[in-house]
Amino acid sequence: MGNKLFHENPLFTLKWMSRYAAYTRSARWSKSKLHAFQDNKLRKIIQYAGKHVPYYRELFSQIGLDTKSFRGRDDLHKIPLLDKETLRTRPEEFISDEAGKLNCRTEKTSGSTGTPLEILLDEESRINKMAASWRAHVWAGDSFFVNKFMIKGLSGTYKQDYGVVRDSFFRKCVFLNSSRMTKETCLAAAELLRRYQPVFYEGYSRSFIDFLQFIKDKKHSIISPRGIFCYGETLSQQTRSFVENGFTAKVYDFYANAENSAMICQLPSGRKLFTEDYFYPEVLDGKGHPSETNYGELVSTSFYNYAMPLIRYRTRDNVRLADKQDCSFREVLEIEGRMDDYLLLPNGRKIYFADGALGYAKGIIAAQYIQHDIDEITINLVVDSHFLPEYYNDIESNLRRIKNISEDVDIKFAIVDKLEKSKSGKAPLIISKLKK
C-alpha cells in the first residue's frame, strides 16, 4: 500500500476511499455478476489498447483481432502472451498516446527475477490498487485508527534504519529497515514497539523471523498484534508457523506486483483468493494453455492501467488452485513466487533481497547471486549488447551501499548465457551453496 495511508493530495485519498467502499460490495458478488463485470472491463481495456497503444495497434492488426466484436474472457486466448523481456526492451510501445492526460507516475519493479522494469501507472490504477489492498488490510485486522509496525526495505524512503513516522492523521508507524537489520536496530525497534504498542504488523516474513531471533530476550514485552500482513516473498508453511508462534498472531499472505496487474489476498478464514474484481487471472501450463492440473504460471490482465496496459502478462510466478471452487473469486492454495535463498555475511547478517535486485544498469537482462563462501558473492549476469564493463563498479558500489556489505566480502561478476534453475524450473535470484 505504500508507506503512507493518506495521500498528500486529499482528492486522491477521497477517491481511493470511495473505491474501497465499492470493493467491499464487489467482494459479495455472485459468479454471474463478477463474470459480467470482467467481460466489460476486458472489452474496454482491449478496445482502448487497440486504439491508443502502439504495441497493441500493431499486434491486433497482425493477428486480425476485431476489438469492436471482442467479447471478453471467451476471446482473451486470441491475444498472444506478453513476457517481461518484450516489455523491458520496448517500453515506449506500451505507453498510451493519452498518457499525458492520466496523471501518471513511474514505478520500478523490484526485479525479483533479476529483470527490473519501469512501469507507467495512471491515477486510476493507483487508486484501485490502494483500495483493493486496503480491503485485504482490513481483512487482516488493520484500521485507520491503530498504530502499525513495518519491516521492509526502506533504504530509499528513510535515512534512519528504524524510527517512528506518522502514517496518517490518526496513527503512527514504527518502521525497521530490513536491508540493514542488526541486533542493535532490532532491539531499538522493539523498545519503540513497547512504547507505541502497534496492533498491526506488515512486511517481509523472513525479516520478521530475524527480528524475533534478535530480540528473543525482549519479546515478552511486546503485545501480540491483531494480524501480520506479509508480502514480497513466498510464504512457506514453516515460515508462517514460526512467525505466528513467535508473535502469537495470525499471518496473512498477500501477493501483488508493481505492475498493478495482479493481486492475491487472504481472508480471515485462511483461504487465499484471486482479487478478481481488480484484475483478470489465468493459470496456464508450459505450453500457454489453461492448466488441466490447476497448477501453472499466473498470467494477468490489468483492468485499470490505461497509461500502460498489460494484457495477458506473464508474471513468472506459479500458483496452485484449489480443485473445488465454491465462491466467486477463485481460491489459491499455493503461490510459488520469489523462492529465493539468502546471502549470509561474515557478521551473521542475512540478506534476502525481498526488496529487489539492486541497480538498473542498462543492458542487464537477468541477474542471479551465487554464494559459495562466506566472504565471496558471485553475480551472474545475462546481458545484451548495451551492457558495458564499466557498469560493474556502479553495480558493486550500489550493492555495498544499499545493502551495507563491507569490503571484507569479495563481489565477483560472471557473464553467463543462462541462469541456474531450481527443480521447479524457476531461476531464483539468490542461490546459497554454503553448508548451513
Side-chain angles (χ1 to χ4, degrees):
M1 283 197 63
N3 303 322
K4 289 292 183 71
L5 184 58
F6 291 119
H7 197 270
E8 59 270 15
N9 181 348
L11 183 58
F12 183 94
T13 299
L14 290 174
K15 288 179 179 178
W16 83 252
M17 291 178 69
S18 175
R19 283 299 303 151
Y20 163 66
Y23 275 107
T24 62
R25 295 189 294 271
S26 58
R28 299 187 293 270
W29 281 349
S30 65
K31 281 188 179 181
S32 59
K33 188 168 184 177
L34 175 65
H35 291 167
F37 171 85
Q38 291 173 330
D39 286 338
N40 182 51
K41 287 296 183 183
L42 289 172
R43 284 194 296 269
K44 286 184 176 180
I45 198 76
I46 297 301
Q47 290 170 6
Y48 183 90
K51 183 177 181 180
H52 295 285
V53 181
Y55 175 85
Y56 291 111
R57 274 202 301 261
E58 181 180 349
L59 175 65
F60 294 168
S61 175
Q62 289 177 349
I63 65 175
L65 183 73
D66 180 8
T67 59
K68 292 182 180 179
S69 63
F70 185 84
R71 294 174 295 172
R73 293 169 298 126
D74 290 342
D75 287 340
L76 196 57
H77 69 278
K78 298 177 180 178
I79 301 175
L81 300 178
L82 170 63
D83 59 44
K84 291 178 183 283
E85 181 60 12
T86 301
L87 188 59
R88 185 189 75 84
T89 56
R90 301 161 62 183
E92 66 285 346
E93 295 180 35
F94 289 87
I95 298 175
S96 164
D97 55 23
E98 293 188 329
K101 306 176 184 178
L102 302 177
N103 190 15
C104 299
R105 289 188 178 181
T106 299
E107 179 80 13
K108 288 183 177 180
T109 69
S110 66
S112 61
T113 54
T115 312
L117 305 167
E118 288 193 358
I119 306 295
L120 196 66
L121 300 174
D122 61 34
E123 183 178 89
E124 189 68 15
S125 172
R126 303 195 310 273
I127 286 170
N128 275 275
K129 184 176 185 179
M130 190 82 172
S133 298
W134 182 246
R135 180 177 63 182
H137 272 248
V138 171
W139 285 339
D142 202 357
S143 82
F144 293 126
F145 307 106
V146 300
N147 291 342
K148 77 170 183 178
F149 173 43
M150 177 171 61
I151 303 181
K152 60 187 292 187
L154 296 165
S155 297
T157 306
Y158 304 124
K159 293 181 179 180
Q160 306 95 327
D161 292 335
Y162 64 92
V164 180
V165 293
R166 186 165 289 281
D167 180 61
S168 71
F169 304 112
F170 310 109
R171 70 175 184 175
K172 292 182 179 179
C173 171
V174 177
F175 70 87
L176 176 63
N177 186 351
S178 66
S179 300
R180 305 174 71 92
M181 286 173 64
T182 65
K183 184 173 184 178
E184 290 71 27
T185 61
C186 288
L187 289 174
E191 177 58 28
L192 293 176
L193 295 186
R194 186 195 64 78
R195 178 179 176 185
Y196 291 98
Q197 298 189 344
V199 297
F200 183 80
Y201 293 3
E202 69 168 88
Y204 304 146
S205 58
R206 287 183 285 190
S207 294
F208 279 119
I209 290 177
D210 289 343
F211 178 75
L212 284 167
Q213 292 174 329
F214 278 131
I215 68 159
K216 57 186 176 182
D217 298 328
K218 298 285 185 179
K219 68 178 182 181
H220 63 275
S221 64
I222 299 174
I223 65 171
S224 296
R226 296 176 183 173
I228 303 172
F229 199 72
C230 289
Y231 45 71
E233 56 195 11
T234 298
L235 180 65
S236 68
Q237 185 56 49
Q238 293 86 350
T239 298
R240 178 190 289 274
S241 297
F242 189 96
V243 175
E244 288 185 337
N245 292 334
F247 289 107
T248 320
K250 186 172 182 176
V251 167
Y252 290 79
D253 196 3
F254 180 77
Y255 169 98
N257 58 8
E259 295 94 322
N260 286 14
S261 71
M263 186 180 294
I264 301 171
C265 58
Q266 184 174 344
L267 300 175
S269 65
R271 301 174 77 181
K272 292 193 287 283
L273 305 176
F274 283 137
T275 308
E276 297 202 52
D277 49 356
Y278 170 75
F279 80 109
Y280 185 72
E282 299 175 81
V283 179
L284 306 182
D285 62 21
K287 296 181 179 180
H289 302 141
S291 173
E292 296 180 355
T293 64
N294 286 330
Y295 175 82
E297 182 179 2
L298 172 60
V299 172
S300 63
T301 298
S302 170
F303 287 155
Y304 294 105
N305 191 24
Y306 282 70
M308 197 174 193
L310 300 182
I311 300 167
R312 306 199 79 203
Y313 179 62
R314 299 185 62 182
T315 66
R316 295 187 182 175
D317 292 329
N318 291 347
V319 297
R320 186 180 303 279
L321 300 181
D323 291 331
K324 183 180 179 181
Q325 299 289 345
D326 55 7
C327 64
S328 300
F329 295 179
R330 281 168 283 179
E331 182 179 359
V332 179
L333 296 180
E334 298 178 55
I335 309 168
E336 184 187 309
R338 302 167 185 181
M339 297 292 287
D340 303 326
D341 210 327
Y342 58 80
L343 300 176
L344 183 63
L345 301 186
N347 63 4
R349 190 162 62 87
K350 299 172 185 175
I351 298 177
Y352 293 111
F353 284 81
D355 47 336
L358 299 171
Y360 293 86
K362 188 176 181 180
I364 295 179
I365 297 172
Q368 189 175 60
Y369 300 77
I370 311 291
Q371 185 174 25
H372 290 276
D373 300 303
I374 192 73
D375 58 356
E376 182 179 301
I377 298 169
T378 298
I379 304 177
N380 288 340
L381 298 175
V382 179
V383 302
D384 61 24
S385 59
H386 298 290
F387 184 81
L388 300 175
E390 50 260 40
Y391 295 158
Y392 290 135
N393 289 335
D394 290 337
I395 297 171
E396 180 176 345
S397 62
N398 285 335
L399 186 61
R400 292 190 187 279
R401 175 178 57 84
I402 298 176
K403 290 299 181 183
N404 196 24
I405 299 176
S406 70
E407 296 292 336
D408 296 332
V409 178
D410 189 21
I411 297 177
K412 298 181 177 180
F413 295 89
I415 302 297
V416 298
D417 293 327
K418 60 183 179 180
L419 303 179
E420 293 188 26
K421 292 187 176 181
S422 64
K423 292 180 180 179
S424 68
K426 299 199 76 176
L429 181 61
I430 295 175
I431 297 177
S432 175
K433 299 187 178 182
L434 297 176
K435 293 182 179 180
K436 300 175 183 177

